[in-house]
Amino acid sequence: MLYGALDAGGTKFICAVGNENGQVLDQVVIPTSTPDETMPKVIEYFKAKIDPSLPDDEKIQALGISCFGPVDVREGSKTYGNILNTPKIAWRDFPMLKTLKEALGDIPMGFDLNVNCALLGEATWGSAKGLLDAVYLKIGMGVGMGAISGGKPVHGMLHPEAGHLIMSRVPGDDYKGHCPSHGACFEGMAGGLAIEERWGKPAKELGDRPEVWELEAKYIAQAITDILLTLSPQKIILGGGIMNQSQLLPLVRKYVLECVNDYIDTKELRNINSFIAPAALNGNQGVMGAIQLASIAAAE
Amino acid sequence: MLYGALDAGGTKFICAVGNENGQVLDQVVIPTSTPDETMPKVIEYFKAKIDPSLPDDEKIQALGISCFGPVDVREGSKTYGNILNTPKIAWRDFPMLKTLKEALGDIPMGFDLNVNCALLGEATWGSAKGLLDAVYLKIGMGVGMGAISGGKPVHGMLHPEAGHLIMSRVPGDDYKGHCPSHGACFEGMAGGLAIEERWGKPAKELGDRPEVWELEAKYIAQAITDILLTLSPQKIILGGGIMNQSQLLPLVRKYVLECVNDYIDTKELRNINSFIAPAALNGNQGVMGAIQLASIAAAE
């Protein structure tokens, strides 16, 4: 069975075809410019995959759309499938799902926030395989979080926005923070842009400065603690470019245990190396999650 | 249809019989002492409600158990239905569900954390009626949180423990905090015991001190902000004795909007008075939630 997968990100759109095992069989990358420039190429790609002249087993049976946020994921809402108040002005209020439905017709479509989709990929084939309650925290230039609870992506009034969790300032740290809305929130203290502003260099050039990663780990650990106190996940998957610093993950685990301070006694926290773990799908979790979203839409 | 409901709290156990409309038809209150003293009375009450000599329509068809935490809510776990590492030593590791199953035999039983049950009551008949994603925050001497996501109670590795969210200290506040595990966490700064230690009087005697409630509201607002950034609820219900201070709720709403600072734009936040709302079931949400838990167990 073939599925279409669109991973619509802030810098690039990945259009792909995959199968029920999450294997990506074909993909193209389109730069994210404006809807007028980007969307016709996306539509052209998927139109060719539903062309009536194709044999049935070479056609995609459904499309999964993983989209940068904020997005309206509330089925039944008038703006379901729209991008909302993004700082990317050209995409603000863009009806992503509606545009694709109008162009591609009747094939089943699934739609979710990119980090929720990435987690869906990890929960189907990766680091959280088989778990019903898990979190994917992506720490790159910005910070995003996807979550599943009881096996379903967390939606509600919007979707998680844990990049903006309130931080307790680490004693001695007087950096003002990088978030235009909140200053010293999680992303404002620990996102890649914050690291670069705070230390005067991009994160990838700071690998030999232990003090950078000590401080970074303390803020990530605070966020993870707040996340486990609210969502109670069975696993927290860490991804994004900042996590490429291999000294960071052990420090994060250490400071999470310090923050929890034995208050919660679970087998997950006793096995912290498995509880807080790297992503397993090598950067393909977004596309693979979109494949799984398509597979769910096809089954409904 | 009649259901049994047990609301097992830290100071009292309420045993009740209710119907499918959430009406409580009979109830007794038993003080919480030790399992050896308390449980025989609980069992005696419910045994009489399944007595074979009763006509079928006077028997309870299922039992819902709402229990103080921490509890093991993971169905399939070896210790499912047990109380875990509570500070109430006599109840530590007590197999609540197993004890009732052995005493009462085969009637269907549901089991959950007390604050999850209270929310289930509010989501069935109260302030969150019909919502799939909601939170109940109980601010009393301690602080507890129940949550539903996609209509189901949030479980995972344990259950929410949002009373221990990390706080950012309000400038000028040098109170050390009351939590034995975390000092200045949410409960440590804003629970009833913290209020009493900080100001030298119980909360109910501080109604004429506006500075108490300004500070209290700022910490509650921080916690609510972290909760809405992770769980994305459609409604946050506030209960517990501290919320009886009627000046508190408007301040909490004001400071939540300050914390979010327009970063999230949803109809819920635009209608803050409905988004952050008091509990509606007059202290009966625990028993009513247990009735609903029984009704779900009967239907399974």
Side-chain angles (χ1 to χ4, degrees):
Chain A
M1 187 84 90
L2 296 186
Y3 299 111
L6 170 61
D7 185 7
T11 57
K12 63 186 179 192
F13 277 38
I14 303 173
C15 301
V17 172
N19 65 20
E20 69 277 11
N21 302 315
Q23 285 174 301
V24 179
L25 305 169
D26 181 68
Q27 80 173 39
V28 300
V29 174
I30 298 164
T32 309
S33 63
T34 64
D36 283 352
E37 280 186 9
T38 304
M39 289 310 293
K41 295 174 192 160
V42 171
I43 289 163
E44 186 189 3
Y45 178 85
F46 288 113
K47 265 207 168 148
K49 310 302 180 195
I50 53 168
D51 192 289
S53 71
L54 285 175
D56 271 358
D57 63 355
E58 293 178 24
K59 282 183 199 161
I60 59 172
Q61 302 302 312
L63 175 64
I65 305 162
S66 163
C67 190
F68 69 87
V71 284
D72 187 344
V73 292
R74 300 167 305 155
E75 285 183 62
S77 151
K78 272 193 292 189
T79 54
Y80 175 56
N82 286 15
I83 298 175
L84 301 173
N85 60 333
T86 168
K88 294 176 203 301
I89 303 291
W91 292 90
R92 194 170 284 182
D93 299 320
F94 178 71
M96 177 65 78
L97 179 62
K98 184 160 166 263
T99 302
L100 289 165
K101 275 195 184 290
E102 284 175 3
L104 300 173
D106 256 358
I107 69 164
M109 293 189 191
F111 178 86
D112 214 322
L113 179 69
N114 55 0
V115 269
N116 270 350
C117 269
L119 177 57
L120 195 59
E122 291 284 346
T124 310
W125 295 292
S127 186
K129 192 170 169 179
L131 299 182
L132 297 179
D133 300 274
V135 159
Y136 174 66
L137 195 55
K138 184 175 183 183
I139 307 170
M141 286 302 159
V143 176
M145 185 185 84
I148 54 172
S149 179
K152 294 196 173 167
V154 172
H155 292 161
M157 76 160 174
L158 180 67
H159 45 62
E161 281 285 2
H164 298 268
L165 283 165
I166 297 170
M167 294 284 104
S168 168
R169 193 170 276 280
V170 171
D173 179 19
D174 60 3
Y175 173 56
K176 68 182 191 318
H178 194 275
C179 175
S181 298
H182 311 110
C185 66
F186 178 28
E187 178 176 293
M189 292 308 252
L193 293 170
I195 293 175
E196 186 164 343
E197 185 180 71
R198 181 201 288 271
W199 301 99
K201 281 188 200 176
K204 63 184 176 194
E205 296 173 23
L206 292 161
D208 59 347
R209 300 270 299 276
E211 68 276 25
V212 173
W213 308 106
E214 279 286 325
L215 192 62
E216 179 73 7
K218 285 178 182 173
Y219 287 115
I220 296 173
Q222 275 191 36
I224 288 179
T225 303
D226 284 348
I227 290 163
L228 74 86
L229 291 167
T230 48
L231 283 158
S232 190
Q234 298 162 291
K235 179 166 279 208
I236 293 176
I237 299 169
L238 294 182
I242 299 301
M243 294 310 302
N244 291 336
Q245 293 286 335
S246 60
Q247 67 270 54
L248 188 53
L249 187 54
L251 291 170
V252 168
R253 291 174 177 141
K254 176 179 116 176
Y255 289 123
V256 167
L257 291 177
E258 277 191 17
C259 286
V260 175
N261 197 22
D262 289 334
Y263 180 78
I264 295 177
D265 177 27
T266 60
K267 74 172 174 7
E268 286 81 0
L269 283 166
R270 288 191 294 273
N271 294 289
I272 191 80
N273 290 356
S274 145
F275 180 59
I276 303 177
L281 301 179
N282 301 315
N284 290 320
Q285 48 278 99
V287 171
M288 292 174 77
I291 293 171
Q292 178 62 6
L293 209 55
S295 150
I296 294 167
E300 269 171 0
Chain B
M1 188 85 90
L2 296 185
Y3 299 111
L6 169 62
D7 186 7
T11 56
K12 63 186 179 192
F13 277 39
I14 303 173
C15 300
V17 172
N19 66 18
E20 69 277 11
N21 301 316
Q23 285 173 301
V24 178
L25 306 170
D26 181 67
Q27 81 174 40
V28 301
V29 174
I30 298 165
T32 309
S33 62
T34 63
D36 283 352
E37 280 186 10
T38 304
M39 291 308 295
K41 295 172 193 161
V42 171
I43 289 164
E44 185 189 3
Y45 178 86
F46 288 114
K47 263 206 169 148
K49 309 303 179 196
I50 54 169
D51 192 287
S53 70
L54 286 174
D56 271 359
D57 64 353
E58 293 179 23
K59 283 183 199 162
I60 60 171
Q61 302 301 311
L63 175 64
I65 306 161
S66 163
C67 191
F68 69 87
V71 284
D72 187 343
V73 292
R74 301 166 306 154
E75 283 183 64
S77 151
K78 272 192 291 187
T79 53
Y80 174 57
N82 287 14
I83 298 176
L84 301 173
N85 58 332
T86 167
K88 294 177 203 303
I89 304 292
W91 292 91
R92 193 170 286 180
D93 299 321
F94 178 70
M96 177 66 77
L97 179 61
K98 185 160 166 264
T99 301
L100 290 165
K101 275 195 184 289
E102 284 175 3
L104 300 174
D106 257 358
I107 69 164
M109 293 190 191
F111 179 85
D112 214 322
L113 179 69
N114 54 0
V115 268
N116 271 349
C117 269
L119 177 57
L120 195 59
E122 290 284 347
T124 310
W125 295 292
S127 187
K129 192 170 170 178
L131 298 182
L132 297 179
D133 301 273
V135 159
Y136 174 66
L137 194 56
K138 185 176 181 181
I139 306 170
M141 286 301 159
V143 177
M145 186 185 85
I148 54 172
S149 178
K152 294 196 173 169
V154 172
H155 292 160
M157 76 161 172
L158 180 67
H159 44 63
E161 280 284 3
H164 299 268
L165 283 165
I166 296 170
M167 294 284 103
S168 169
R169 193 170 277 280
V170 171
D173 179 19
D174 59 3
Y175 172 57
K176 68 183 191 316
H178 194 274
C179 175
S181 299
H182 311 110
C185 65
F186 178 28
E187 178 176 292
M189 293 308 253
L193 292 170
I195 293 175
E196 186 164 343
E197 185 180 73
R198 181 201 288 270
W199 302 98
K201 280 187 201 176
K204 63 184 174 195
E205 296 173 23
L206 291 161
D208 59 346
R209 300 272 299 275
E211 69 276 24
V212 173
W213 307 107
E214 280 286 327
L215 192 61
E216 180 72 7
K218 286 178 182 173
Y219 287 115
I220 297 173
Q222 275 192 34
I224 288 178
T225 303
D226 284 348
I227 289 163
L228 73 87
L229 291 167
T230 47
L231 284 158
S232 191
Q234 298 161 290
K235 179 166 278 211
I236 293 175
I237 299 169
L238 295 181
I242 299 301
M243 294 310 303
N244 291 336
Q245 293 287 335
S246 61
Q247 67 269 55
L248 188 52
L249 187 53
L251 292 171
V252 168
R253 291 172 177 143
K254 175 179 119 178
Y255 289 123
V256 167
L257 291 176
E258 277 191 16
C259 285
V260 174
N261 197 23
D262 289 335
Y263 180 76
I264 294 177
D265 177 28
T266 59
K267 74 172 175 4
E268 285 82 359
L269 284 166
R270 288 190 294 273
N271 294 290
I272 192 78
N273 291 355
S274 145
F275 179 60
I276 302 176
L281 301 179
N282 300 316
N284 290 320
Q285 48 279 99
V287 170
M288 292 174 76
I291 293 171
Q292 177 62 6
L293 209 55
S295 150
I296 293 167
E300 270 172 359

